[in-house]
Amino acid sequence: MVVVKAMNKPITVFFSDIQGFIELNEKLSSEKLSWLVNTYLSEMSEIVFRFGGTLDKMIGDSIMVFFGDPYSRGKKNDALSCVCMAIAMKEAMSGLQKRWKIAGIETPPSVRMGINTGNCRVGNFGTENKLDYTVLGSTVNLASHLESIAQANEILITEETYNLVKDHVQCTVNHSADSRWLSKDLKLYSADKMTSGIENSTSLSNFIDNP
């Protein structure tokens, strides 16, 4: 018998994928495509673990991560950790693009990311045969949607996340995101860079532990 245990708690959810992956799939050989995806996922997953994220799943070129369970540094610091992770991923992507170009990929792909913070159902969900530890709810759905409408190399975040990180992250209001699915009252921001001397996961930990 499957025992489903879940609870409501504040979570910051992250989604990313490779922009133009379908076109890339048609242009590259199977070997080169596999190499590109594997180098990308290896680099990104290492960054997830460095910043303390929970790697929920990787499907093709897509990555889902959340902060706030099973370990939380508090809602504000979880959001800051997530956005710092995303910025580190964007910087790492620049290095990967150079590697791919040297390897003969003339137009290296870009990454796009979406982040949202809010209450989620977190726990084990599934069937008799398979249970997944994951998060569910409208917060997750919105984060996924933001990733799908983000521009190349953009980290698109909601106002909820922005209010938690704005003292330490330089953001710009996003007026260009176009989606019929989104409410006109929903404010979106692009997270650009850190403003508090937080350069990596070590300095982030020091900042959180010694505010």
Side-chain angles (χ1 to χ4, degrees), residues 83 113-116 146 149-151 154-166 169-177 182 185-192:
V83 175
M113 296 170 268
I115 298 174
N116 186 27
L146 294 188
I149 63 174
Q151 299 299 308
E154 182 180 29
I155 305 166
L156 198 56
I157 68 175
T158 59
E159 187 173 20
E160 179 74 17
T161 303
Y162 167 77
N163 286 332
L164 295 169
V165 306
K166 62 184 179 182
V169 180
Q170 179 177 307
C171 300
T172 54
V173 178
N174 184 298
H175 297 291
S176 60
L182 298 177
D185 297 328
L186 183 67
K187 290 184 179 179
L188 301 178
Y189 298 81
S190 297
D192 301 319

Side-chain angles (χ1 to χ4, degrees), residues 183-204:
S183 166
K184 292 181 179 180
D185 297 328
L186 183 67
K187 290 184 179 179
L188 301 178
Y189 298 81
S190 297
D192 301 319
K193 63 180 180 180
M194 305 304 302
T195 61
S196 305
I198 302 173
E199 300 175 353
N200 50 46
S201 56
T202 300
S203 58
L204 173 66

